[in-house]
């Protein structure tokens, strides 16, 4: 399905403008580099996130900061044709390949431009709202969580997959070493831009994970249940929060 025309995106802060421009730069290479530098393991984590969401075959799903659409497509694959899946991102360049990917797989998934901090959807509309590797890039995390809460139906789930701090200090050190010094250089060798991949590292090391993230979600609720699960020792984390 083609992208619909939606209201123009207003980039309200300098950081939002910088992040937007950074993703315009990496968009063309994003899928290839993502798979190479993570050894493809992120696909497995998206599959697990969808299973953990408890989404049902006729549910409506909103995937925010969908980028090239992988999580939206994974929801559709697991839920089947009766589900309604909408993938959104504030960056049109990142979204470009998503409709083609859906078409190639024979999936009816809609993609459109939307800012996660200013959602263009009515309240209480979705059964699940998800965001993978997007929330740390959003300019105002609390505002995005409050918007997600607003558009979720009561009993609906917010599902987040995000990089985090490994629980084991040795593993944490090794992983940071890889992420800070090796991964950006591999990305450059493969045609990526060094500053973009350095930003991805610094944004990940500064962003809260585990209990700190749970506290941030709680402060922007109300959610009745909030669970956090480390993935691969805490290199990434999954969060599930149910709207009261
Ligand atoms: C690292 S990519 C993740 C893409 C995809 N979800 C994935 O798992 O591969 C981060 C995405 O967040 C998007 N993004 C950043 N801030 C946003 C915002 N305020 N609203 C919507 N999308 C945003 C970027 O355009 C980019 O596509």
């Amino acid at each position: 399905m083609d992208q619909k025309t939606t209201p123009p995106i207003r980039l309200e802060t300098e950081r939002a403008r910088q992040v937007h421009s950074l993703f315009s730069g990496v968009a063309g290479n994003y899928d290839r580099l993502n798979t190479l530098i993570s050894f493809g393991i992120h696909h497995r984590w998206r599959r697990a996130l969808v299973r953990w969401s408890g989404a049902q075959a006729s549910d409506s799903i909103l995937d925010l900061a969908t980028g090239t659409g992988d999580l939206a497509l994974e929801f559709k694959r697991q839920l089947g044709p009766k589900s309604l899946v909408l993938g959104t991102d504030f960056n049109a360049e990142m979204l470009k390949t998503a409709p083609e990917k859906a078409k190639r797989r024979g999936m009816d998934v809609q993609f459109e431009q939307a800012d996660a901090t200013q959602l263009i959807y009515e309240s209480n509309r979705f059964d699940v709202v998800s965001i993978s590797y997007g929330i740390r890039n959003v300019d105002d995390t609390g505002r995005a969580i409050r918007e997600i809460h607003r558009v979720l139906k009561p009993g609906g789930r917010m599902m987040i997959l995000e990089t985090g701090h490994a629980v084991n200090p040795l593993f944490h050190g090794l992983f940071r070493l890889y992420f800070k010094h090796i991964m950006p250089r591999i990305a450059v060798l493969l045609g990526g831009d060094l500053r973009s991949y350095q930003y991805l590292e610094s944004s990940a090391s500064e962003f809260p994970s585990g209990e700190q993230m749970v506290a941030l979600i709680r402060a922007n609720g109300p959610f009745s249940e909030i669970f956090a699960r480390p993935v691969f020792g805490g290199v990434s984390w999954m969060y599930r929060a149910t709207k009261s």
Side-chain angles (χ1 to χ4, degrees):
M1 188 173 285
D2 290 335
Q3 277 171 241
K4 278 199 321 193
T5 310
T6 47
I9 297 294
R10 281 181 292 120
L11 300 171
E12 289 179 344
T13 65
E14 186 49 33
R15 177 162 184 252
R17 283 188 281 278
Q18 281 172 1
V19 170
H20 188 276
S21 141
L22 181 143
F23 281 104
S24 298
V26 303
N29 259 334
Y30 181 82
D31 276 353
R32 198 170 62 94
L33 285 181
N34 214 8
T35 296
L36 287 169
I37 60 189
S38 73
F39 309 107
I41 205 166
H42 59 105
H43 292 303
R44 191 187 302 173
W45 300 343
R46 287 199 193 83
R47 288 198 287 276
L49 189 80
V50 172
R51 283 196 298 274
W52 195 34
S53 74
Q56 304 293 309
S58 56
D59 278 358
S60 59
I61 315 293
L62 172 64
D63 183 40
L64 300 174
T66 196
T68 57
D70 282 349
L71 184 57
L73 295 174
E74 184 54 28
F75 267 105
K76 192 70 180 183
R77 192 188 70 78
Q78 289 193 30
L79 302 185
K82 276 204 286 178
S83 60
L84 202 150
V85 181
L86 173 59
T88 67
D89 199 286
F90 78 162
N91 188 309
E93 293 296 314
M94 282 297 285
L95 274 176
K96 230 177 213 166
T97 57
E100 285 162 33
K101 281 161 90 172
K103 202 170 165 189
R104 272 203 306 274
R105 296 174 202 186
M107 291 176 176
D108 181 11
V109 176
Q110 194 184 320
F111 290 99
E112 62 190 26
Q113 248 185 306
D115 185 333
T117 61
Q118 311 168 54
L119 291 176
I120 49 181
Y121 311 108
E122 71 268 26
S123 303
N124 305 315
R125 172 165 164 190
F126 297 98
D127 297 286
V128 173
V129 179
S130 58
I131 181 162
S132 67
Y133 302 111
I135 194 90
R136 78 171 196 277
N137 295 295
V138 164
D139 188 34
D140 183 339
T141 316
R143 188 170 168 195
I145 294 172
R146 292 193 294 282
E147 275 294 84
I148 294 172
H149 183 274
R150 181 181 67 74
V151 301
L152 274 173
K153 294 176 184 171
R157 278 89 57 215
M158 170 173 75
M159 303 301 302
I160 299 177
L161 175 61
E162 191 47 86
T163 50
H165 310 288
V167 183
N168 177 306
L170 180 64
F171 192 42
H172 178 71
L174 285 174
F175 181 71
R176 287 265 75 85
L177 194 75
Y178 169 71
F179 211 33
K180 187 167 185 173
H181 297 290
I182 302 172
M183 182 273 281
R185 281 167 181 80
I186 298 179
V188 169
L189 285 175
L190 297 169
D193 164 61
L194 183 64
R195 269 183 313 164
S196 304
Y197 284 84
Q198 283 172 335
Y199 158 80
L200 291 178
E201 189 285 323
S202 60
S203 62
S205 66
E206 286 155 19
F207 196 72
S209 75
E211 280 312 309
Q212 279 183 317
M213 184 63 185
V214 168
L216 186 61
I217 295 171
R218 188 170 290 121
N220 290 283
F223 292 97
S224 58
E225 286 178 334
I226 309 173
F227 293 106
R229 264 172 63 172
V231 199
F232 206 58
V235 164
S236 278
W237 284 75
M238 291 183 196
Y239 305 91
R240 184 180 73 196
T242 306
K243 179 171 173 175
S244 304

